[in-house]
Amino acid sequence: MLAARDIHLTRQGRAVLQGINLQAHPGRVLALIGPNGAGKSSLLGALAGWMAPSLGEVSLDGKPLSAWPTMSLARRRAMLSQNVQLGFAFLVEEVVMLGRTPGGRHATHAQDAVIVEQALRLAQVAHLRGRNYLELSGGEQQRVQLARVLAQVWEQQDGPAWLLLDEPEAGLDIAHQHDMLKQMRALSRRGYGVIVVLHDLNLAARYADEIALLTQGRLVRLGTPDYALDAQALSKVYGLVLDRVPVNQGQWIVMPR
């Protein structure tokens, strides 16, 4: 379990997160949603151990992240941040191989190569093998970076692995958005824990098991999509009147009134 207990985060004198409490479980997809500046990326960074909370604690399997050795933590969780910058003309497969660098593994180079190939296929970028990463489109680069973080935690070594993804659908066309989130849901069913920041409320409703709704650094709703995406709560948070409109087979979508 990955848990935040009474997390507060202050940056440059501004309260970014205020009293966040939540638990994420392996085998499930948790989506973080909310308007710009709500604290979604900051919360994801705190859950990954990239940002140290000003107050409170984040723990993995009951052990504070601060107590985890860096390499051990790297084998248990991988984070895909927004706008990853890479200034070297690596080949696509070399970028993905970077995910295999955390120490303490027992895999051979040949085994690493097999994992890289599997990650390339899962992220649907195997056809880009041999290409210069810098010459790819933004969406293609995003999918290659997804393959890199998958390769990092592929074995689920020493316990369930975690994928923390910050707007991974950004820059992708609609088909690849759905394909990517379908893959994340499938991975969760294989035991991975997935936490993903999303702006599209309907993608969150379709693929998340649980949703955390944030605004102004506070967690205002946490639960199933049916509960967290309450039209009245969303309207208040986003400052726009939103409705849940029924569609086929008892499903619904969120739309402006």
Side-chain angles (χ1 to χ4, degrees), residues 102-120:
R105 301 186 190 277
H106 302 293
T108 65
H109 180 74
Q111 291 169 328
D112 283 341
V114 170
I115 290 172
V116 166
E117 178 66 21
Q118 292 172 323
L120 285 166

Side-chain angles (χ1 to χ4, degrees), residues 145-225:
Q145 292 295 340
L146 175 61
R148 175 183 59 79
V149 299
L150 287 169
Q152 180 178 329
V153 292
W154 190 266
E155 302 104 314
Q156 299 205 68
Q157 188 173 346
D158 302 324
W162 289 86
L163 293 165
L164 286 74
L165 312 173
D166 196 355
E167 298 184 41
E169 86 290 5
L172 302 184
D173 60 56
I174 187 170
H176 282 110
Q177 287 179 1
H178 284 273
D179 286 340
M180 182 271 298
L181 288 169
K182 284 178 184 176
Q183 293 287 3
M184 293 305 102
R185 191 170 176 86
L187 285 171
S188 74
R189 300 312 183 248
R190 286 170 44 188
Y192 285 81
V194 179
I195 305 177
V196 55
V197 172
L198 293 173
H199 271 296
D200 190 316
L201 302 180
N202 293 311
L203 286 177
R206 187 179 185 95
Y207 294 106
D209 298 296
E210 295 177 297
I211 295 175
L213 174 62
L214 289 91
T215 184
Q216 297 180 342
R218 297 185 181 276
L219 179 62
V220 294
R221 285 209 166 215
L222 174 64
T224 65

Side-chain angles (χ1 to χ4, degrees), residues 8-17 42 51-54:
H8 294 255
L9 179 63
T10 301
R11 301 181 71 182
Q12 298 179 338
R14 185 174 70 89
V16 178
L17 298 174
S42 295
M51 296 183 183
S54 307

Side-chain angles (χ1 to χ4, degrees), residues 79-103:
M79 180 170 170
L80 177 60
S81 59
Q82 298 181 39
N83 302 317
V84 178
Q85 300 294 321
L86 180 62
F88 299 95
F90 289 132
L91 299 180
V92 163
E93 59 269 31
E94 292 173 333
V95 174
V96 180
M97 185 63 80
L98 293 174
R100 302 299 301 160
T101 56

